[in-house]
Amino acid sequence: MKKIVIDQNTMQALQKKELKCKYMENDTGNKSGNIINYDKNLLVSVGQGNGGLFVVNPHTNHISKKYNGIFAGLIKYKNGFMALKQPNELYILDEKLKLQSVKKVGDKSISGLHGVKLSDDGLIYIVASPQNKIIVYEEQTMKKQAEFILSTPKKDLHHINDLFITKNSILLSMFSQSGGWKGKMPEQWDGAIVEFDRNEFKPKGIIIDDLTAPHSITMMNDCLYYCDSLNLNVSKFDISSHRKEVVAQFTGFTRGLHFDNNILIIGQSKMRHLQGINHRFSNISIDAGIHLYDCDKQISRFIKLPVGNPYAIVAC
């Protein structure tokens, strides 16, 4: 098994770089209707605060809880789904959300599982935030292939959380690129999305900086989309022009992104670090739920959920 540790000095010395990416998802051009009549089931993973896996239908407002527990990363897998359950389990579900198997992640020291992604070559990448660690498994055998660690596994210096996999790179969202976010006010955090070589896990550079608690990286139409969570928005970064802009501003902690053509679905958690941020905004929501945002009309609706912290959203 390969184990690589990137020291903190290397992380602190990183510079901005251009993203050269060959993997893109493209909008089909079809419209998904309007946000009032949007009638598709959504699977939502929820962490602390009535945690579990929920199915939500925005048209009927029907909400059902399928599994209990603290869940984070969630992706489509074959005809079903993969979902991370803390402290250290990977749930494999079929298309009807029936549990097929439970795989153990890491050992008893692992906690705080966050993001999960599957690469085209059959590797599963899992983030353990408190240990600054990415664990890599072979999909078929669940044999551990590698561990990549930033700075140290003993202290949550960077709070890496979500990731996006391309052919040659891993993009990681983190609260602090330098490894110094704890004990500081949120506006002092040097949040970023950082690119790493997927084979050697050497850091290539900073793709986007000046973020505050970023999460939920995805790509669409030659743009990188992400939640700038404690700036309460969803933003995008144009890979060609290297410009970033706010797609939609909200009033709560954004985390969880799902594209359905012209409709963007965003999770909102109950506000964290409220005492350190309430002087920056005139209104902050304390509700949790999901937003349906029409990218063409720039309008949204909010569905309140009986939970604390939605994490990820996929269609089911």
Side-chain angles (χ1 to χ4, degrees):
M1 184 196 74
K2 180 165 59 175
K3 184 175 181 179
I4 297 174
V5 179
I6 305 298
D7 65 78
Q8 192 173 0
N9 289 335
T10 298
M11 291 298 298
Q12 291 176 345
L14 290 180
Q15 302 294 317
K16 291 285 292 292
K17 74 173 293 290
E18 294 183 3
L19 177 63
K20 297 179 180 179
C21 182
K22 296 181 180 180
Y23 177 85
M24 297 290 170
E25 292 183 8
N26 291 306
D27 191 331
T28 63
N30 298 322
K31 300 304 179 184
S32 298
N34 61 64
I35 58 176
I36 301 299
N37 299 319
Y38 188 86
D39 191 10
K40 297 182 182 180
N41 286 335
L42 301 169
L43 185 61
V44 182
S45 64
V46 177
Q48 293 181 350
N50 193 22
L53 291 177
F54 289 77
V55 174
V56 180
N57 186 289
H59 182 62
T60 63
N61 288 322
H62 184 261
I63 302 167
S64 61
K65 190 175 188 179
K66 299 299 182 181
Y67 294 93
N68 286 307
I70 299 175
F71 283 85
L74 170 67
I75 58 171
K76 289 221 173 196
Y77 176 60
K78 296 181 178 178
N79 293 326
F81 307 91
M82 278 185 180
L84 289 176
K85 182 183 179 184
Q86 296 183 10
N88 66 332
E89 293 179 332
L90 179 65
Y91 273 36
I92 309 297
L93 310 172
D94 67 13
E95 68 273 15
K96 296 183 179 179
L97 303 182
K98 183 178 179 181
L99 185 62
Q100 299 298 295
S101 62
V102 178
K103 311 292 186 182
K104 292 293 183 181
V105 177
D107 53 34
K108 292 182 180 179
S109 69
I110 292 296
S111 64
L113 299 183
H114 274 54
V116 58
K117 286 293 186 296
L118 178 67
S119 65
D120 290 342
D121 53 353
L123 296 176
I124 302 169
Y125 292 77
I126 296 173
V127 176
S129 292
Q131 289 84 35
N132 301 298
K133 184 181 293 189
I134 296 92
I135 309 169
V136 185
Y137 289 95
E138 202 279 324
E139 174 194 358
Q140 298 299 326
T141 64
M142 280 303 292
K143 182 179 179 181
K144 187 187 292 186
Q145 302 295 305
E147 285 187 354
F148 302 136
I149 301 167
L150 303 187
S151 299
T152 172
K154 297 181 179 180
K155 187 177 180 182
D156 184 3
L157 296 176
H158 300 277
H159 200 77
I160 54 176
N161 47 66
D162 282 324
L163 69 168
F164 190 86
I165 306 296
T166 73
K167 181 179 180 180
N168 298 311
S169 296
I170 303 172
L171 304 182
L172 280 178
S173 54
M174 59 189 70
F175 281 20
S176 174
Q177 165 255 318
S178 66
W181 67 283
K182 286 195 170 182
K184 297 180 180 179
M185 299 293 283
E187 55 263 41
Q188 296 175 307
W189 300 353
D190 57 333
I193 294 175
V194 179
E195 182 182 11
F196 294 80
D197 180 271
R198 191 156 78 86
N199 295 313
E200 300 299 328
F201 203 69
K202 294 179 179 178
K204 294 182 175 182
I206 302 165
I207 303 302
I208 310 170
D209 58 6
D210 293 327
L211 306 178
T212 311
H215 289 86
S216 309
I217 313 168
T218 190
M219 286 187 182
M220 185 68 67
N221 295 337
D222 297 333
C223 288
L224 192 68
Y225 285 79
Y226 54 93
C227 290
D228 196 359
S229 301
L230 266 179
N231 284 321
L232 319 185
N233 69 54
V234 172
S235 290
K236 71 177 181 180
F237 176 79
D238 189 301
I239 296 170
S240 298
S241 67
H242 315 298
R243 294 179 59 184
K244 66 179 180 180
E245 64 179 275
V246 174
V247 174
Q249 183 70 50
F250 298 98
T251 58
F253 187 96
T254 53
R255 182 173 56 194
L257 286 180
H258 173 65
F259 266 103
D260 189 353
N261 296 304
N262 61 304
I263 294 177
L264 181 59
I265 301 158
I266 306 105
Q268 176 176 297
S269 293
K270 288 187 176 179
M271 178 51 61
R272 298 180 176 190
H273 313 287
L274 181 63
Q275 69 279 8
I277 198 171
N278 60 3
H279 63 280
R280 297 173 54 206
F281 300 95
S282 61
N283 180 36
I284 295 176
S285 173
I286 59 172
D287 290 327
I290 57 175
H291 295 273
L292 274 69
Y293 177 75
D294 188 316
C295 297
D296 296 332
K297 298 179 180 178
Q298 297 180 300
I299 58 174
S300 68
R301 68 177 280 228
F302 181 71
I303 301 167
K304 185 178 179 180
L305 300 180
V307 301
N309 295 286
Y311 196 97
I313 307 163
V314 295
C316 64

